[in-house]
């Protein structure tokens, strides 16, 4: 029996996969496209699961694209049918429903999976993670019980969002974090302190600098965690959020080269011909660290997907590189950051300032280029910093103005201002549509 | 689609563009009601100043808009008909990712019933956007440029 063949197969239906499908269609109007996803859902916004738990969005608003998206693109969506095996030599794949397909070009956009730390007894407790819709449902169910005790392991972005969501459900929430502060990767020490202060005001207990050495089940999803200092924390729901790792299940023998993630070049192309990778699973060039990095963040995944789609479809547009960036708001304090916020050595210069309105701003400079920024409080116009990082613009005369209270395009040199505003040259350069 | 350009040599910094932008995006579109009775909407244009220099700046409606790519929810998108970058306020959750990536600082937080951002929508109900129409010194000009939303999917 002849097996069905697609010119393009996209494995994964989240930020990278969806944007790849749309870009692919811009570059190639005719080729056949299939999208496979193990979840039995249309593409939805994973970062919104905390909003779903808190009741701030409903199922309809969870959707990242209208369900008609695939039909309008002329792409076949295989929901609830993940890819279980890929034969890179024969260009075939097998799905979880034991069906085989042939492909011309393949995009691996399989995302990441939660890292489960080696804690004694963890395998005997029914713990939860917090990265998909089902996790949100679990939390909603668990927190229906009054006075539900929720313990979150890890105070990174996912852990803190899980804690905030549980708190919105009137649960009693405790977060434990190995590092000395919350959001240690996304924020600097000062911004962490500001966020922690808000948490304390709202009754969210955060214990930093501590680690669970063991957990014991107490029936159902309840249990107890024991910390290094011997203290015990009882819970009715344990959420493990100590980080994510690229989901490399499909990279077996004969698969593309991998470091931490699947290595890709500026066409999002892997070491194998006709095989691409994008999103959390990919390790692409990072434009401030100037080395390949996994930047498992939604905006990066979306952008990588778009460039992967264009390049797969034959439109050669070089990917400008990734930039770690975060926008968070906890209890009314918005914080945005991009690039290097915690400089590793003396090659960087940090300039930070507190403003009378409570806003904290910091820029990080290396070799007269802006490489990092953080704003907590009044975040308006923070994107100008982000774009200066992306453009690697020499700072020269504007360095002194960077932290002025109303820093805007009015502070940029006339020629730069003109180029950006009149010619529209700011940000990532518009892709060459004729290519 | 149309594009709006500032002419800083003509801008007096009077901020009438901001006032009329607020009125146009208010419930009643009446200046007195908008400022005295209703919830005052966020302005979508801002007069940027430094010393004697001033000019009005609003969303540039970038060809490859970083806010559209980065939007977590799909609220920010290109309008297929007008080519403008618009934010669906019903789907926006106010995560501020667009503020984080806008190279112009042209997206703003808008306090209201739920967290949401506000940005220039090129005044779809008007022939000429309110900021351009009400500038007393032609410091904002409008231009029809080729390009449309045929890529908006």
């Amino acid at each position: 029996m002849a097996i069905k063949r697609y010119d393009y197969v996209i494995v994964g239906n989240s930020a990278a996969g969806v944007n790849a499908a749309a870009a692919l269609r811009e570059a190639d109007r005719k080729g056949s496209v299939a999208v496979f996803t193990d979840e039995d859902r249309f593409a939805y916004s994973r970062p919104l699961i905390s909003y779903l738990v808190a009741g701030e969005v409903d199922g309809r608003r969870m959707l990242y694209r209208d369900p008609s998206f695939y039909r309008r693109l002329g792409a076949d969506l295989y929901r609830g049918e993940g890819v279980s095996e890929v034969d890179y030599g024969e260009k075939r794949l097998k799905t979880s429903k034991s069906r085989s397909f042939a492909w011309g070009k393949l995009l691996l956009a399989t995302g990441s999976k939660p890292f489960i730390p080696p804690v004694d007894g963890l395998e005997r407790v029914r713990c939860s993670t917090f990265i998909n819709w089902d996790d949100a449902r679990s939390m909603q169910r668990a927190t229906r019980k009054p006075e539900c005790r929720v313990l979150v392991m890890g105070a990174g972005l996912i852990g803190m969002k899980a804690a905030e969501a549980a708190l919105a459900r009137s649960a009693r929430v405790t977060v434990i974090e190995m590092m000395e502060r919350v959001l240690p990767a996304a924020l600097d020490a000062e911004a962490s302190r500001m966020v922690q202060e808000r948490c304390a005001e709202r009754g969210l207990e955060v214990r930093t600098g501590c680690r669970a050495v063991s957990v014991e089940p107490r029936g159902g999803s309840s249990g107890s965690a024991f910390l290094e200092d011997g203290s015990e924390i009882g819970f009715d729901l344990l959420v493990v959020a100590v980080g994510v790792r690229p989901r490399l299940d499909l990279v077996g023998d004969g698969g593309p080269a991998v470091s931490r993630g699947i290595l890709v070049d500026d066409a999002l192309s892997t070491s194998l011909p006709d095989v691409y990778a994008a999103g959390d699973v990919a390790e692409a060039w990072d434009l401030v660290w100037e080395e390949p990095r996994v930047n498992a963040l939604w905006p990066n995944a979306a952008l990588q997907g778009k460039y992967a789609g264009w390049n797969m479809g034959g439109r050669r547009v070089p990917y400008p590189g990734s930039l770690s960036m975060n926008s968070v708001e906890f209890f009314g304090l918005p914080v945005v950051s991009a690039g290097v916020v915690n400089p590793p050595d003396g090659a960087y210069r940090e300039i930070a300032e507190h403003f009378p309105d409570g806003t904290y701003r910091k820029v990080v400079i290396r070799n007269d280029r802006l490489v990092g920024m953080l704003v907590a409080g009044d975040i308006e116009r923070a994107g100008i910093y982000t774009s200066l990082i992306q453009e690697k613009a020499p700072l020269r005369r504007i360095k002194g103005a960077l932290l002025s209270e109303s820093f805007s395009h009015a502070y940029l040199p006339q020629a730069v201002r003109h180029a950006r505003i009149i010619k529209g040259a700011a940000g990532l350069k518009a892709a060459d549509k004729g290519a | 689609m149309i594009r709006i350009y500032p002419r800083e040599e003509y801008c007096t910094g009077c901020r009438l563009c901001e006032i009329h932008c607020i009125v146009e995006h208010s419930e009643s579109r009446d200046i007195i009601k908008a400022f005295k009775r209703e919830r005052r909407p966020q302005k979508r244009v801002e007069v940027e100043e430094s010393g004697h220099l001033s000019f009005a700046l609003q969303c540039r409606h970038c060809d490859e808009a970083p806010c559209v790519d980065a939007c977590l929810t799909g609220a920010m998108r290109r309008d297929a008909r007008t080519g403008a970058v618009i934010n669906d306020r019903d789907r926006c959750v106010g995560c501020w990712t667009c503020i984080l990536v806008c190279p112009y600082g042209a997206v703003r937080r808008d306090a209201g019933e739920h967290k949401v951002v506000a940005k220039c929508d090129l005044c779809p109900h008007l022939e000429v956007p309110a900021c351009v129409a009400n500038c007393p010194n032609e410091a904002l000009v409008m231009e029809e440029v080729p390009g449309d939303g045929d890529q908006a999917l």
Side-chain angles (χ1 to χ4, degrees), chain A residues 203-432:
Chain A
L204 174 60
E205 193 192 352
V206 181
R207 295 172 67 171
T208 54
C210 68
R211 170 201 321 242
V213 288
S214 67
V215 291
E216 273 176 23
R218 298 267 194 270
S221 64
S222 297
S224 272
F226 297 90
L227 309 188
E228 274 167 324
D229 64 4
S231 59
E232 177 181 348
I233 305 175
F235 58 81
D236 302 304
L237 176 70
L238 173 64
V239 179
V240 177
V242 297
V244 294
R245 299 283 182 272
R247 215 167 119 180
L248 298 169
D249 309 357
L250 295 178
V251 183
D253 292 340
V258 167
S259 174
R260 277 173 63 87
I262 300 172
L263 290 164
V264 292
D265 62 15
D266 71 355
L268 282 307
S269 178
T270 69
S271 62
L272 296 179
D274 300 330
V275 179
Y276 297 74
D280 291 10
V281 77
E283 186 170 334
W285 187 256
D286 184 295
L287 56 85
V288 298
W289 291 104
E290 298 183 334
E291 64 185 24
R293 284 211 165 195
V294 174
N295 274 298
L297 299 159
W298 187 272
N300 272 314
L303 203 63
Q304 287 181 13
K306 176 164 150 171
Y307 279 82
W310 277 340
N311 283 288
M312 284 172 84
R315 186 188 288 180
R316 178 76 183 100
V317 191
Y319 176 62
S322 306
L323 177 65
S324 75
M325 47 183 165
N326 284 284
S327 169
V328 298
E329 179 171 331
F330 289 103
F331 311 119
L333 177 69
V335 189
V336 294
S337 69
V340 183
V341 290
N342 295 301
D345 57 54
Y348 299 81
R349 196 171 134 226
E350 292 177 80
I351 315 173
E353 200 169 328
H354 282 276
F355 293 85
D357 69 349
T359 297
Y360 167 68
R361 286 206 260 174
K362 177 168 103 172
V363 290
V364 181
I365 295 164
R366 185 185 64 209
N367 298 333
D368 198 44
R369 302 285 195 279
L370 190 64
V371 293
M373 71 93 178
L374 185 149
V375 184
D378 180 5
I379 58 169
E380 315 290 325
R381 300 192 187 90
I384 301 175
Y385 297 134
T386 308
S387 69
L388 292 173
I389 297 172
Q390 288 169 325
E391 286 168 29
K392 302 194 173 189
L395 296 176
R396 294 193 192 115
R397 283 179 294 153
I398 64 167
K399 210 175 301 172
L402 274 180
L403 284 188
S404 82
E405 212 161 347
S406 55
F407 176 70
S408 74
H409 276 72
Y411 289 80
L412 300 180
Q414 209 265 336
V416 176
R417 207 160 63 225
H418 190 268
R420 286 175 145 244
I421 297 172
I422 309 297
K423 297 201 186 121
L428 299 171
K429 299 220 167 51
D432 181 11

Side-chain angles (χ1 to χ4, degrees), chain A residues 91-164:
Chain A
K91 291 192 169 182
R92 299 270 175 104
L93 63 82
K94 201 182 220 176
T95 72
S96 55
K97 291 181 179 167
S98 294
R99 293 199 287 180
S100 292
F101 295 87
W103 46 268
K105 290 185 180 180
L106 181 74
L107 175 66
L108 297 169
T110 47
S112 47
K113 58 181 178 190
F115 173 66
I116 305 298
V119 175
D120 193 35
L122 198 55
E123 67 288 347
R124 291 185 289 124
V125 175
R126 208 196 303 149
C127 66
S128 179
T129 55
F130 201 63
I131 65 163
N132 61 34
W133 198 315
D134 291 342
D135 294 334
R137 290 275 176 246
S138 306
M139 184 178 283
Q140 278 181 321
R141 262 196 311 276
T143 52
R144 239 175 248 147
K145 178 183 154 188
E147 296 283 288
C148 175
R149 298 164 304 160
V150 176
L151 175 61
V152 179
M153 240 182 236
L157 192 57
I158 294 173
M160 291 299 285
K161 292 304 277 186
E164 188 193 33

Side-chain angles (χ1 to χ4, degrees), chain A residues 45 47-48 51 56-57 61 329, chain B residues 71-73 75 87-96 114-117:
Chain A
S45 176
L48 289 196
Y51 296 79
E56 289 165 20
V57 304
R61 286 176 70 201
E329 179 171 331
Chain B
C71 180
L72 304 188
T73 69
N87 181 44
D88 181 344
R89 293 169 71 88
D90 178 47
R91 300 185 60 203
C92 175
V93 297
C95 72
W96 321 135
H114 82 277
K115 289 199 298 169
V116 62
V117 295

